[in-house]
């Protein structure tokens, strides 16, 4: 159709083009093209609103929308590939629209600025990605839950300070990560409420004399509310920081689990074996099977934390309202979201089919330490001995056993009774690992019945989740 694009983007105030190095330096098209769909969605809503409000005629609005949809089709066919001269995705779309529609295309930007536009695009983009991360968290939780359900009475050493502390149910251990993931989902849902507020119509910073209807565009784009203050609307990036903070915690949780899997897969622990689906070999050592997947997850957590610091530092000194510094928010968000999605998927696959727990090794581990010492003390407490006194007595007993190189379970009844007359023949049963675990019936504890309750609750919750 009519081809009448302006030779440069700027007004006639400018006489010279940008220095090529500065053109490259200034441009964000290389990465913000990722916002194309959202930019088109925002512009379609804006054009329709301009028509309804009588700022442009309804047929003009219709033609603008058709032009925008034509650009969407071109992009789908791989035929929309703006270069550096477009500077950013917003200009790229507007230029193409003017190429397609002629002078009418120049009406789209009425009552709008790239400042409110980019904020709108980013929020639309983030809203979708938060939903994708939520779905990825659910898949990850399901993978953990299926494993937990497969091991309702497998035991695993429980640690504090990475020293054997007390045995726990393997399911209980895995469910702890399900709890973390649930909190991550709640946190993201909360952040999403603040992402879902529309800045469009704040224009450059002060609002606009054009008789627009901000609520119409906000409603059409599915936003829950509009920003109350135009200055705040174009300069708020709290939602980006909050999202990155929430993603950082997701990554911290994944990284902790990754670290455990790495330990568990070592020869020293031997609690899990890695399947060929998720492990890698060494280019040199033929015997090696390496846990690259959890190592990468652990390593990638650093980039997301880095983006959080980057965003905070980027906003901290900015006067109101828009500053170009904000252009830096995009790569952080894009990379943070992609990293988090990739890691959630990788950890879900790892638990779905990348590892096998080794019940025999786990069984042997919990039977071969002093992690039942607290239960000996609790045994005496149940028979009227004050806890601190029992604690001291058992400490002495453990010391003696260490010297004799025997376990508490191997001590004959006479030894127990020498230590304290309250011991009876049932002491051996009381300190068997399975009994030690079963006895921890306090709410939230690792006792089998408690864990069964938690498994059922998690199952119910996940079955109800789409
Ligand atoms: N590419 C810009 C960004 O990412 C779009 C907004 C530019 N606004 C401006 N006044 N220069 O923030």
């Amino acid at each position: 159709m009519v081809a009448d694009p302006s030779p440069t983007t700027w007004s006639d105030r400018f006489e010279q083009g940008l220095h090529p190095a500065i053109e490259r330096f200034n441009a964000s098209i290389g990465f913000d093209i990722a916002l194309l769909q959202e930019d088109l969605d925002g512009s379609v809503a804006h054009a329709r609103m301009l028509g309804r409000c009588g700022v442009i005629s309804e047929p003009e609005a219709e033609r603008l929308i058709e032009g925008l949809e034509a650009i969407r089709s071109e992009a789908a066919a791989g035929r929309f590939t703006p270069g550096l001269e477009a500077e950013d995705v917003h200009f790229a779309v507007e230029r193409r629209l003017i190429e397609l529609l002629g002078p009418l295309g120049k009406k789209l930007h009425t009552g709008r600025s790239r400042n409110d536009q980019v904020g709108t695009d980013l929020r639309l983009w983030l809203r979708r990605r938060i939903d994708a991360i939520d779905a990825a968290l659910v898949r990850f939780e399901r993978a953990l839950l299926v494993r937990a359900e497969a091991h309702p009475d497998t035991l695993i050493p429980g640690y504090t300070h990475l020293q054997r502390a007390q045995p726990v149910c393997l399911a209980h251990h895995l469910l702890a990560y399900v709890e973390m993931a649930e909190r991550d989902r709640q946190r993201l849902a909360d952040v999403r409420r603040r992402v879902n507020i529309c800045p469009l119509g704040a224009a450059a910073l002060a609002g606009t004399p054009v008789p627009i209807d901000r609520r119409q565009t906000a409603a059409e784009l599915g936003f829950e509310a509009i920003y109350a203050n135009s200055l705040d609307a174009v300069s708020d990036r709290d939602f980006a920081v909050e999202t990155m903070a929430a993603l950082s915690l997701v990554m911290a949780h994944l990284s902790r689990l990754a670290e455990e899997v790495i330990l568990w897969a070592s020869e020293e622990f031997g609690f899990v074996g890695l399947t060929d689906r998720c492990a890698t070999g060494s280019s040199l050592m033929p015997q090696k099977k390496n846990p690259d997947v959890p190592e990468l997850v652990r390593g990638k957590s650093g980039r997301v934390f880095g983006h959080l610091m980057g965003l905070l530092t980027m906003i901290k000194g900015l006067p109101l309202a828009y500053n170009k510094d904000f252009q830096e928010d995009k790569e952080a968000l894009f990379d943070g979201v992609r990293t988090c999605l990739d890691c959630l998927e990788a950890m879900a696959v790892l638990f779905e089919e990348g590892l096998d727990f080794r019940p025999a090794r786990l069984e042997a581990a919990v039977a071969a330490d002093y992690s039942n010492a607290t239960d000996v003390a609790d045994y005496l407490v149940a028979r009227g001995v004050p806890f601190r006194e029992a604690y001291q007595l058992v400490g002495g007993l453990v010391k003696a056993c260490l010297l004799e190189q025997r376990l508490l379970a191997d001590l004959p009844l006479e030894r127990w009774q020498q230590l304290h007359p309250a011991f009876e023949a049932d002491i051996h049963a009381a300190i068997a690992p399975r009994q030690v675990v079963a006895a921890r019936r306090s709410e939230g504890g690792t006792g089998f019945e408690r864990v069964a309750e938690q498994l059922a609750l998690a199952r119910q919750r996940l079955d109800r989740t789409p």
Side-chain angles (χ1 to χ4, degrees):
M1 284 213 348
V2 207
D4 178 28
S6 320
T8 69
T9 313
W10 312 119
S11 74
D12 292 342
R13 171 184 172 163
F14 285 78
E15 287 176 3
Q16 283 197 306
L18 276 178
H19 185 289
I22 300 304
E23 182 178 65
R24 238 180 297 121
F25 183 68
N26 195 44
S28 52
I29 187 71
F31 48 88
D32 69 12
I33 190 72
L35 297 174
L36 179 65
Q37 296 304 324
E38 289 76 13
D39 197 70
L40 292 169
D41 293 343
S43 288
V44 165
H46 181 68
R48 185 165 293 132
M49 180 278 292
L50 290 177
R52 288 205 188 127
C53 292
V55 177
I56 59 177
S57 73
E58 297 257 10
E60 282 179 326
E62 278 315 309
R63 283 174 53 214
L64 285 177
I65 292 169
E66 279 164 25
L68 291 164
E69 292 305 339
I71 297 173
R72 206 192 294 273
S73 306
E74 287 178 3
R79 283 187 287 106
F80 183 64
T81 50
L84 278 186
E85 73 296 339
E87 186 181 326
D88 61 21
V89 66
H90 324 294
F91 273 148
V93 169
E94 190 184 354
R95 280 185 170 209
R96 183 66 190 135
L97 195 67
I98 295 169
E99 275 172 20
L100 289 172
L101 304 182
L104 172 62
K106 297 181 179 178
K107 291 195 176 183
L108 176 66
H109 212 53
T110 312
R112 181 179 80 168
S113 152
R114 279 186 302 158
N115 298 350
D116 55 342
Q117 190 181 355
V118 69
T120 305
D121 292 5
L122 209 50
R123 285 168 179 81
L124 288 173
W125 183 90
L126 204 49
R127 201 174 68 186
R128 282 187 195 146
R129 297 318 182 279
I130 287 176
D131 295 343
I133 291 170
D134 186 66
L137 278 163
V138 169
R139 175 181 174 186
F140 169 62
E141 281 187 44
R142 288 207 168 100
L144 288 173
L145 181 59
V146 167
R147 286 290 172 164
E149 286 171 338
H151 292 282
D153 44 35
T154 303
L155 306 186
I156 185 170
Y159 296 82
T160 64
H161 314 267
L162 199 56
Q163 303 287 323
R164 295 273 181 95
Q166 294 168 349
V168 295
C169 249
L170 174 54
H172 194 55
H173 194 113
L174 296 174
L175 282 175
Y177 286 97
V178 173
E179 292 294 313
M180 292 178 227
E182 265 306 298
R183 282 199 299 278
D184 289 330
R185 293 187 62 209
Q186 289 165 11
R187 223 177 332 266
L188 280 163
D190 188 54
V191 172
R192 192 188 190 282
R193 289 175 30 229
R194 283 179 295 280
V195 169
N196 205 19
I197 297 174
C198 190
L200 196 60
L205 73 164
T208 172
V210 180
I212 57 167
D213 182 350
R214 291 186 59 201
R215 290 177 194 273
Q216 232 184 77
T217 37
E220 175 162 347
L221 293 169
F223 283 108
E224 209 133 283
I226 62 172
Y227 272 85
N229 181 302
S230 63
L231 292 166
D232 183 41
V234 291
S235 63
D236 171 29
R237 291 294 182 276
D238 293 359
F239 69 95
V241 173
E242 279 192 81
T243 302
M244 205 56 74
L247 298 187
S248 292
L249 276 170
V250 173
M251 291 302 299
H253 296 152
L254 292 182
S255 184
R256 294 180 72 173
L257 179 58
E259 170 70 12
E260 299 218 68
V261 172
I262 294 162
L263 287 171
W264 291 343
S266 69
E267 199 80 42
E268 286 71 12
F269 279 75
F271 293 170
V272 300
L274 298 171
T275 70
D276 294 356
R277 299 279 279 166
C278 286
T280 47
S282 155
S283 62
L284 182 126
M285 298 165 281
Q287 86 285 9
K288 288 292 291 286
K289 202 166 190 187
N290 294 329
D292 288 27
V293 172
E295 287 175 303
L296 277 171
V297 169
R298 189 176 59 183
K300 282 175 190 289
S301 61
R303 346 166 27 132
V304 180
F305 304 166
H307 291 319
L308 174 61
M309 280 308 120
L311 286 171
L312 281 168
T313 312
M314 185 263 287
I315 64 170
K316 83 173 177 62
L318 298 183
L320 291 180
Y322 178 86
N323 299 271
K324 187 77 169 217
D325 312 47
F326 287 142
Q327 184 161 288
E328 290 292 307
D329 61 7
K330 278 160 220 67
E331 286 163 293
L333 279 172
F334 296 167
D335 185 73
V337 165
R338 200 206 50 195
T339 301
C340 192
L341 276 171
D342 287 352
C343 290
L344 278 168
E345 182 181 41
M347 288 300 278
V349 171
L350 184 66
F351 274 83
E352 281 159 8
E353 49 182 299
L355 52 79
D356 291 308
F357 282 96
R358 294 178 165 162
R361 280 289 296 231
L362 289 163
E363 195 81 15
V366 291
D369 59 26
Y370 297 94
S371 61
N372 50 2
T374 317
D375 300 85
V376 177
D378 288 341
Y379 180 98
L380 289 177
V381 168
R383 283 151 189 82
V385 181
F387 175 77
R388 192 53 65 204
E389 188 184 326
Y391 167 88
Q392 295 292 0
L393 276 176
V394 180
L397 185 62
V398 169
K399 185 180 176 186
C401 283
L402 282 166
L403 282 173
E404 296 165 32
Q405 292 197 348
R406 63 209 302 205
L407 294 166
L408 291 170
D410 301 333
L411 294 175
L413 186 57
E414 309 85 73
R415 273 294 287 282
W416 290 105
Q417 287 173 337
Q418 273 164 26
L419 189 71
H420 199 287
F423 283 113
E424 291 177 49
D426 60 354
I427 180 60
H428 286 112
I431 61 168
R434 203 153 293 281
Q435 175 51 31
V436 159
V437 170
R440 294 197 157 66
R441 291 188 188 87
S442 59
E443 254 188 286
T446 195
F448 297 109
E449 302 138 55
R450 290 309 195 187
V451 173
E453 284 166 17
Q454 292 301 316
L455 282 171
L457 283 175
R459 174 50 65 197
Q460 259 176 35
R461 191 175 60 223
L462 283 174
D463 283 352
R464 267 191 272 114
T465 308

